[in-house]
Amino acid sequence: MPLTIRTVIKVFLFGFYFHAALYAQDTVVPNPNFQKAMAAYHAGNYNGAMVSLVLALENEPANPQLYYYYGNCYFIQNENKEAMKNFNRAIELNPQYSEAYKSRGKLKARMHDYRGSVDDFDRAIQLNPEFSDAFFNRGLSYFNLREYKRSVADFTTVISFNPKDYEAYYTRGNANYAMGNKEQGCKDWSKAAELGYFSAYDLIKMKCD
């Protein structure tokens, strides 16, 4: 079939954009300051990580991941106001950022805003239905709100993801015991101890004899 002028133009444009896309992919350069920040962050050098993050933000001022890690550094150092500011910015730049919602939820829980933290954990779970850490932290917030049945349900979900999560068994034991289910609470503490969380035996001695 003979090529029409329209077809020739389409073929030319496709080839142009295809090669341009390949060129763009080949010339993407990782942000070296972000790489330095991550190395420091994972080594526990949070001040060093923050220095590199500031430099990384000069090149990528709209990168939500940079604000997320900046917020985590502040969170770890108990600089709550600055942590909140950076988590908010990360979410503003990427409303689908489940990790940022989870971290902001943990910050709210630290500030005893348990209802607000549940809202953030809900959003994180909506975005990532298998987000174990969000379920665990929501379970803690529900426990502090004395909504023990919901707390148990979240810790049970965490255990379904990882049957060897001794912290989930321990905290589920606390919730079960708090809502009057002593037998199941003691079983959960026993399982936590069996998996290596020996502090659970202190509760067993006090509450399960």
Side-chain angles (χ1 to χ4, degrees):
M1 183 175 66
L3 292 175
T4 64
I5 295 297
R6 187 185 298 272
T7 304
V8 170
I9 292 173
K10 285 184 177 179
V11 170
F12 172 78
L13 290 176
F14 173 78
F16 174 80
Y17 287 121
F18 177 74
H19 289 296
L22 287 179
Y23 177 78
Q25 291 174 8
D26 289 340
T27 56
V28 170
V29 178
N31 190 324
N33 288 307
F34 179 62
Q35 294 176 328
K36 290 178 183 178
M38 289 299 90
Y41 181 87
H42 292 298
N45 178 9
Y46 302 112
N47 286 327
M50 292 170 76
V51 170
S52 294
L53 285 168
V54 169
L55 295 174
L57 281 165
E58 291 179 0
N59 293 326
E60 298 183 82
N63 185 335
Q65 193 175 25
L66 300 180
Y67 290 99
Y68 166 72
Y69 280 105
Y70 210 7
N72 279 340
C73 288
Y74 278 121
F75 177 84
I76 291 166
Q77 298 182 92
N78 294 309
E79 296 285 345
N80 298 325
K81 186 175 181 179
E82 291 301 319
M84 181 69 77
K85 183 189 301 182
N86 282 279
F87 292 144
N88 287 344
R89 182 60 175 153
I91 291 168
E92 178 185 344
L93 290 169
N94 180 10
Q96 308 301 310
Y97 203 158
S98 61
E99 286 280 356
Y101 283 104
K102 183 264 296 184
S103 289
R104 192 175 71 176
K106 290 175 66 175
L107 175 58
K108 289 179 180 179
R110 174 192 281 176
M111 304 301 291
H112 301 277
D113 178 15
Y114 300 117
R115 289 292 177 197
S117 73
V118 166
D119 288 342
D120 276 343
F121 297 136
D122 283 347
R123 182 61 176 147
I125 291 166
Q126 288 171 2
L127 293 167
N128 181 1
E130 295 186 2
F131 198 166
S132 181
D133 199 29
F135 278 104
F136 182 85
N137 282 283
R138 190 175 70 176
L140 293 177
S141 288
Y142 278 137
F143 182 86
N144 282 294
L145 290 167
R146 299 184 181 181
E147 296 184 24
Y148 302 123
K149 188 174 181 179
R150 288 181 169 179
S151 181
V152 166
D154 276 346
F155 295 134
T156 300
T157 298
V158 175
I159 291 167
S160 74
F161 293 142
N162 179 12
K164 294 185 178 181
D165 190 328
Y166 58 79
E167 287 185 299
Y169 280 105
Y170 181 80
T171 48
R172 190 176 73 173
N174 293 343
N176 270 313
Y177 192 92
M179 69 177 182
N181 193 348
K182 177 180 177 180
E183 181 179 358
Q184 186 58 52
C186 291
K187 285 182 179 179
D188 282 338
W189 291 331
S190 178
K191 185 65 176 179
E194 175 189 314
L195 291 170
Y197 195 66
F198 271 50
S199 295
Y201 282 127
D202 295 332
L203 283 176
I204 291 171
K205 290 176 185 176
M206 288 188 297
K207 300 181 180 295
C208 299
D209 290 341

